[in-house]
Every structure is written in C-alpha cells, then in structure tokens.
Amino acid sequence: MPTTGLHLGLSTLFIRKQLLSEEQIASAITKSRQSKQSLVSTIVSEQMISAREIAELCYEEYGTPLLDLDEFDITSIPEDFLNKKLIEKHKCLPLFKRGNRLYIGTSDPTNIAALEDFQFSAGLHAEAILVEDDKLTKALEKVLEEDISALDIGGIDEDSLAGIEIEDTSKRDDAQSGDSSDDAPIVIYINKILTDAIRKGASDLHFEPYEKRYRIRFRIDGILHEVSEPPVNLSGRISARLKVMSKLDIAERRVPQDGRIKMKLSRTKSIDFRVSTLPTIWGEKIVMRILDSSSAQLGIEKLGYEDDQRELYEEMLAKPQGMILVTGPTGSGKTVSLYTGLNILNTEERNISTAEDPVEINLEGVNQVHINLKAGLTFASALRSFLRQDPDVVMVGEIRDLETAEIAIKAAQTGHLVLSTLHTNSAAETLTRLINMGVPGYNIASSVNLIIAQRLARRLCPECKQPEEVPEHELEKLGFNPKDIEAGITAYKPTGCDLCSGGYKGRVGIYEVMRMSDEIARTIMEGGNSLQIANQATEQGMRDLRGSGLLKVIQGVTSIAEINRVTSF
C-alpha cells in the first residue's frame, strides 16, 4: 500500500498558494488514511486539485524535472530496479538509470523517505522526476499487474469438451482427480469460467446438474444469467475439480461441504471464492461466492447513502458506545456497509474484534474470529471472550438468538461500540424482532443508537438509458412526492448496449436509516408495534426504503421497474 502520511511541504504549499484551506487539507488527510491512498492521490480523486496542476505547481516550486508518462515506454524500465514492495509502499516508479543515478517517477517530490528507500535498495543515488498522479497510477497498475490472460483460454467450447470420457472419480485419489493429464481440459475450462466471472463482475457462480443437462449461471447485479451448458456427462469431473481446488473431500458426496479457493490475479490482487456443495438427486450443486476485498475498501460516499443518511451513520460511528444494527435480506450489501464502517473506525487507537460466520474478507488491523459451531465457538462465546480482550469496537456477524443479543446489548451499555446485523425487512421490524427474542424494551431503548435497513438496486447504464414517459397519476400511485411531481420528474428506463447487461451496470444501495429518538424509545417501552415505530420515525424525517428508492429514480440512477422489484409499496 502507498504511504498515507502527511508530507508537510505539499500541504503548506497548497495552503500558501490558496489552493486548499486548512480544513480541506485536514479532510484530505483523514480520507487518505481511511482509503490507504497517498495524500496527492486523495486530493486528485476528490477533485480538489487536478493532477496536472499539482505537477506544474511542484515543478515551479521545487524545480524538479517534469515528465509526461504518456510519452514514456514503461517496458523499458530495468527489471533489476522494480522493487515491488517499495513501489507499492511509496507509489513511486523507478524509470531509468543514468550513470550512478536512478531516476524515480513521483507525484510528490517532498517524499524524501521514498528516495532514500530506493537509494538504499538499488545502491545508486536516487533523484525525483515529477509525473502526474493519475498517469502514475495507470503506469503502476501496468507494472504491478500480472497478465491474467494466460487463464483466459480461448477456443474451449462444448464440442471440444464432449470427447472427454467420464470416470468414476470416487475410485481415484485427490492427486489423480486434480492433476491427471486427462483432466487438463477441465482444468482449463474451470479456470476460464472463474476468470470470466471476475471480469463480468459476478457475485456468485452456480454449477447445477440435472438429468439431461448441466448449466452454469452467474449472478450479475443481483440477477442470475446462464453462461454455459457443458455436456451433462462432465458433471462429476467439474464437481471433482472444484472440490479439489477447495480442499474438500471428493469421495464424500452424501453431505454438504464448505470450502474456499484463493485465486491470485496479480502480485497485488487476489480473489477468494467461498464454496458450498449440496447433494441433489442428479449430482452435487456447487455455489461459489466471490469475495473481493476491494469492495470493503469503498468509501462511504460511494455506497449510495443520501447526504443526511451518511452524516447520521458517521455521527453514530463516532460515538464511543451503543449499538448500530444493519438489516436486510441475504445479498443486500450488509457486509459491505459494516466493513465500510469498520474501515472508518480502524485506527491505531482502537481495538476492534469481529465474530463472523464465515470471515469473508480479511481486514488488516482488525481481529477477526471465524465462528466454529462444531468446536463450540458460537457468536455468544466469541462475544464473551471479546469483552475480556479490552475492546473498543465489537462486530457480531449476526444476532441469531437471545443469548447473543443480551451479551451484545450488555457490551453496548458498558462502554463499547457494537455493530451487528439481523434479517428483517425494515428498520422498525428490527426492534420488534429483538423484543420477540425476549430482550426487554428498556434494554433496547438504552443501547441501540441506529438501525439501517438496506437493499441493492441495479444502476441504469449511463450510456444507453432512455427517458420514460410516465403520466402524473401513475407517479402518484407509485408514491412520488406531489411536490416532486409538480417540479417535474424525468424517469429513465433500461435499453441495453454492449457495455452493460440488459440496460443495467453495477448496483447502488437504497437505505432506511432510523435513529433511536426519545419518542421511538417511549413507543418501544409502551409496547408499540413495528407500524407505530415506523410512523414515529417517518414523522421525525426518516426516509423509508421506498422513498429512498424513488429518490434514486428522480436522480436518474435507477428505473421505476427496478425500484418496484426491490421495494414494496
């Protein structure tokens, strides 16, 4: 990772030139630490100052030579000087050698520590050359990324696979199943399927055997799409290969199994697959969940929160104690919301522990515990241990029972910030679910600070979306605010192009953020139901899931049809 420390020379320069205020610099420093970017990269990505302006300013101020990386052939860089650790640490790139001098491309000429490290590593005198930060980022990606096209084997079609003879894999050992030369086409085919899934942005892969066919489907933006139909007689070979990769018992086909695959895409990036097998009447169905750690590094501003919702979430994260609950169905983005919050809290001053089932994404600086029910390690027992480990922040993957709920609430009441999830349909229903579990209302009212209910809706492709004519009376029926209708609403519909999937590209979060107010606490204490709690929250200004979704329609982010799919009215 690039360094995130503040280089005082540049900060002072920006303030002296009146390009940024002290408050903006402080904000940029905070964001750079959270995102683990360099300060210059943060300033450029936040569009505070352009990369070109920074480079020209540093050239005028420090007299450092300026180079246009677009005109430089990075393939000419001597491999002897490509110290990957230093490149990743400092976000600098050795460019060329002249005599006993090594010239280092950097967007921050005040980063003396980088020059000293490269000088020590290469045994040459290191000198800085100014380059624009955005162009440097692209060059670093090319240098650090390994070409994964080796895994993208073309020419593999169903006809070429049809000639493979099926064997009884239960009679062969792991080595034979995974490494036999007869299985080479299967190995290539599976690798291609996995890399295709990553490229297409799939979240899940389904390998499904039936009596007369075998199909493979990807879940992209929440919707399943069939991508391949290999010969049905390859069902055993495909499942055996996937189980070998996941380190599962290939001879055991009678019970479900869980495993994990780690696929290294480059020197700096790898993707984990969580693998689950399920015996069916025609063979084993295998589902793989793609766990991309980069999704946990997203800034909170990119998740889709409206400004008031984001500010409320950040305000509650800043509190030293209490409970924040995130709720929604499976696949609604709860994990990303929680991990984003943990990234904000993950500083040197805090001790953070999480109990998860399973641990999906590794977070450096966070003590993550994998729940193991067979060994007796439950959410409740892990949480008890956390409280003896001097914690500041605790995350419980899911509150499933009264015992876990009681310990979590006790932790929230005794000076700890607790984050967790439940499976309910709305923020108000989360409170009544806790009451139904047996948690006293006064404990809920005194410990819960915030509840976030969420869904994921598909984003309209910006390249092909088209305006949609909707009569005003239909807009009223859909639940749009009369004031918005009067002001004029332009709704968009999906069309479809080569750059998207059916008119949609990516997903955006839709949120219902409910703060625990005195009025809501009183309603809980008086035994109010979820409808009364929701009405109370709405009166206080909470935007429900439907309202948040319709706001995304007004903003042109998604379509009415998509909001109707993911929210109820």
Side-chain angles (χ1 to χ4, degrees), residues 476-540:
E476 291 178 7
K477 287 182 181 179
L478 290 166
F480 284 95
N481 190 305
K483 291 182 180 179
D484 292 329
I485 297 174
E486 186 177 342
I489 294 173
T490 302
Y492 291 87
K493 62 183 179 180
T495 302
C497 66
D498 293 338
L499 301 175
C500 65
S501 176
Y504 296 97
K505 188 176 182 180
R507 289 192 287 179
V508 64
I510 296 172
Y511 302 92
E512 180 178 285
V513 182
M514 187 176 80
R515 181 177 196 160
M516 178 64 74
S517 64
D518 293 340
E519 292 77 9
I520 293 176
R522 192 175 301 113
T523 303
I524 295 170
M525 299 282 285
E526 293 171 355
N529 58 36
S530 60
L531 183 59
Q532 292 171 312
I533 295 170
N535 289 338
Q536 184 68 55
T538 302
E539 289 177 8
Q540 295 171 9

Side-chain angles (χ1 to χ4, degrees), residues 130-149:
L130 265 173
V131 293
E132 295 162 59
D133 189 77
D134 51 355
K135 294 179 181 178
L136 176 60
T137 299
K138 292 178 182 177
L140 290 175
E141 288 175 355
K142 290 181 181 178
V143 169
L144 294 175
E145 292 290 319
E146 290 179 344
D147 185 10
I148 66 170
S149 63

Side-chain angles (χ1 to χ4, degrees), residues 1-57:
M1 285 292 178
T3 54
T4 56
L6 166 63
H7 301 306
L8 294 175
L10 277 189
S11 299
T12 305
L13 177 62
F14 294 149
I15 295 171
R16 178 160 53 84
K17 295 289 185 178
Q18 297 184 343
L19 295 173
L20 295 175
S21 65
E22 292 185 10
E23 292 76 14
Q24 287 175 309
I25 285 289
S27 173
I29 293 169
T30 301
K31 289 178 179 178
S32 73
R33 288 172 178 163
Q34 290 173 357
S35 62
K36 297 183 180 178
Q37 286 184 315
S38 67
L39 180 61
V40 174
S41 294
T42 301
I43 290 172
V44 172
S45 63
E46 294 291 323
Q47 299 182 345
M48 296 178 174
I49 312 175
S50 72
R52 184 66 187 176
E53 285 179 299
I54 294 176
E56 290 177 348
L57 179 65

Side-chain angles (χ1 to χ4, degrees), residues 466-468 470 475 484 488-492 552-556 558:
Q466 296 292 330
E468 179 181 17
V470 184
L475 293 174
D484 292 329
I489 294 173
T490 302
Y492 291 87
K552 290 287 189 290
V553 172
I554 294 172
Q555 295 167 354
T558 190

